[in-house]
Amino acid sequence: MQASVSLGKDVIQTISKFLGDGFLPFNSRRSLTPMQEDKITEMVKMSLLCRDLGYCQGELRKFIDEFVIMQAKGVENILTTLLSKSFNGDIYDQQLKHILGKVRFILKEESASEKDEMNIWFETVKKISGKFQEMALQCLAQLSNSAYDVDKTIYQKLMLATVIIEMKYLLKLCAIHNICVKTYECTTSLNSLLDHLKTMKDEKARLFIKYVYEALYKTQFYSSLTETTAHEFQVILSDMAYSSNVPTQEILSVVHKIVGARVKFVTDNTDEKLSLDSLLLHEILSDLDNIYSGKSNPFAEFLNQFFIWIVRDDDFHLSKHIQELLTEIGKDLSNTPRELFDKLSREVRLFLEMTVDPE
């Protein structure tokens, strides 16, 4: 799970070039306002993103402006640093102007939402992040004529930059504006599941992985990945399920530690120094928690069946319950707003590329 640490340092150094050393490590109470007026800042402020929107006034209007400015500058800085010869400021400005229109639409749409304040703001931030991910990839496609491997590295850095900035601003949203996540069903359910898996007999843990391995083939999961990444992930799950030479429970313990760090993150609103793959898993769970925030105990039935299976010696049809769970998750994701679904898909794909297919 450490394949991306060197890339992470590079990303952070790149972002820090224009944000300043004070940006990292994360400090949710420190001001994130850019130090000086510039073209991007002027474009964002001139767009009047929060005009006539009651939920987005005063300090929260400044919050949105800052967040959008930082996302725009993050993308620009990486492109100018890594594609300096082909970067075209005019093209970037046109793309940004287009995205600002989409951000305005998101804000207007959320202003009419009947959800509570926390859900409105978390969804707003995540949708805006998703739009900047889209813009980053569009700019990369227009600007880059490099080999695939170079493009892949730049793509990873662009995605990670949007994730880092989003996490920073969600911390600020809670610490300064007291708009904090209150439910994190996916994180707590996964944490409970892993807590039991890592302590059960090795044979039983492998059996659970086997059920997941088989159930995933009946979903659309692998179709969203590149052929190489899908194959590598299948090999890893197969080895964890069938090979006694693979330390299955050790791997589960590593994942459990990352998920546990997220539990601490959302309960205490404190920063953790995470490797980049850990940070991505944190973000994926954050997106899933947001998607399930309006549902009460969505995984209770599956966990109940899982706990029964733990103490029984027979199969107890857990494979059927895993398949049903994955099917339900698939349905829930299909009903998710497109911006959030696409964002989650990109992050899952990137996480797997960086961990199971890092080369």
Side-chain angles (χ1 to χ4, degrees), residues 203-220:
E203 182 179 344
K204 194 131 186 167
R206 291 183 189 280
L207 185 59
F208 181 86
I209 299 298
K210 173 178 176 288
Y211 292 154
V212 173
Y213 171 71
E214 293 172 345
L216 281 174
Y217 279 105
K218 299 176 183 178
T219 71
Q220 299 298 312

Side-chain angles (χ1 to χ4, degrees), residues 18 34 38-49 64-77 79-80 87-106 128-140 142-143 162 165:
F18 83 90
D38 51 50
K39 191 171 186 179
I40 287 179
T41 301
E42 183 179 351
M43 285 179 68
V44 171
K45 291 186 175 181
M46 290 289 288
S47 296
L48 301 175
L49 296 173
I64 284 293
D65 282 351
E66 280 185 30
F67 176 55
V68 171
I69 289 166
M70 297 298 269
Q71 287 285 17
K73 286 190 171 185
V75 172
E76 181 193 48
N77 189 65
L79 291 174
T80 55
F87 181 79
N88 185 309
D90 291 336
I91 292 177
Y92 185 80
D93 290 347
Q94 291 171 9
Q95 288 276 12
L96 178 57
K97 185 176 181 180
H98 179 64
I99 287 297
L100 291 176
K102 291 188 174 183
V103 170
R104 169 66 177 170
F105 179 81
I106 289 170
I128 292 173
S129 288
K131 288 302 176 186
F132 275 97
Q133 288 178 1
E134 288 179 16
M135 186 185 82
L137 300 184
Q138 289 168 358
C139 288
L140 180 59
Q142 289 179 344
L143 296 174
T162 65
I165 293 169

Side-chain angles (χ1 to χ4, degrees), residues 71-331:
Q71 287 285 17
K73 286 190 171 185
V75 172
E76 181 193 48
N77 189 65
I78 290 173
L79 291 174
T80 55
T81 301
L82 302 178
L83 290 172
S84 56
K85 292 182 179 179
S86 56
F87 181 79
N88 185 309
D90 291 336
I91 292 177
Y92 185 80
D93 290 347
Q94 291 171 9
Q95 288 276 12
L96 178 57
K97 185 176 181 180
H98 179 64
I99 287 297
L100 291 176
K102 291 188 174 183
V103 170
R104 169 66 177 170
F105 179 81
I106 289 170
L107 291 167
K108 290 177 69 175
E109 187 178 52
E110 291 298 325
S111 71
S113 173
E114 296 182 356
K115 296 178 180 178
D116 62 29
E117 183 182 47
M118 185 276 292
N119 284 314
I120 287 173
W121 276 100
F122 271 65
E123 194 155 296
T124 296
V125 168
K126 288 183 176 295
K127 284 183 176 180
I128 292 173
S129 288
K131 288 302 176 186
F132 275 97
Q133 288 178 1
E134 288 179 16
M135 186 185 82
L137 300 184
Q138 289 168 358
C139 288
L140 180 59
Q142 289 179 344
L143 296 174
S144 177
N145 295 312
S146 309
Y148 170 74
D149 287 342
V150 176
D151 286 355
K152 183 177 178 181
T153 299
I154 300 172
Y155 160 75
Q156 290 176 348
K157 292 180 179 182
L158 287 167
M159 287 286 295
L160 288 165
T162 65
V163 167
I164 290 170
I165 293 169
E166 178 193 319
M167 286 181 63
K168 185 72 175 177
Y169 274 83
L170 288 179
L171 276 170
K172 183 177 183 181
L173 194 61
C174 181
I176 296 180
H177 301 288
N178 200 31
I179 301 174
C180 308
V181 61
K182 295 182 175 65
T183 59
Y184 28 95
E185 295 289 351
C186 287
T187 296
T188 53
S189 296
L190 181 58
N191 190 55
S192 178
L193 187 75
L194 290 166
D195 191 42
H196 287 82
L197 280 172
K198 72 172 188 176
T199 57
M200 67 175 53
K201 291 182 179 179
D202 188 70
E203 182 179 344
K204 194 131 186 167
R206 291 183 189 280
L207 185 59
F208 181 86
I209 299 298
K210 173 178 176 288
Y211 292 154
V212 173
Y213 171 71
E214 293 172 345
L216 281 174
Y217 279 105
K218 299 176 183 178
T219 71
Q220 299 298 312
F221 176 72
Y222 290 119
S223 63
S224 66
L225 306 176
T226 65
E227 183 177 349
T228 301
T229 301
H231 173 71
E232 291 293 334
F233 188 58
Q234 289 162 3
V235 169
I236 288 172
L237 285 181
S238 177
D239 287 347
M240 288 178 68
Y242 297 107
S243 175
S244 59
N245 295 323
V246 174
T248 298
Q249 287 176 305
E250 183 179 326
I251 295 171
L252 292 172
S253 293
V254 171
V255 178
H256 182 240
K257 184 177 180 180
I258 298 170
V259 176
R262 167 153 173 79
V263 173
K264 187 175 187 300
F265 183 94
V266 293
T267 53
D268 299 344
N269 197 43
T270 54
D271 291 319
E272 290 282 339
K273 289 187 177 181
L274 302 174
S275 62
L276 266 291
D277 46 7
S278 299
L279 184 147
L280 270 172
L281 182 56
H282 172 107
E283 179 66 13
I284 289 164
L285 287 172
S286 174
D287 287 352
L288 287 169
D289 285 336
N290 179 66
I291 289 169
Y292 280 94
S293 61
K295 300 187 177 184
S296 178
N297 299 318
F299 308 109
E301 177 58 27
F302 171 75
L303 287 175
N304 182 54
Q305 299 298 331
F306 173 73
F307 294 141
I308 293 173
W309 174 76
I310 288 176
V311 298
R312 292 181 60 144
D313 294 327
D314 58 355
D315 175 43
F316 189 59
H317 305 296
L318 186 68
S319 58
K320 180 189 75 171
H321 296 299
I322 290 175
Q323 183 61 61
E324 290 173 351
L325 173 67
L326 294 178
T327 299
E328 283 302 310
I329 290 174
K331 289 179 181 177

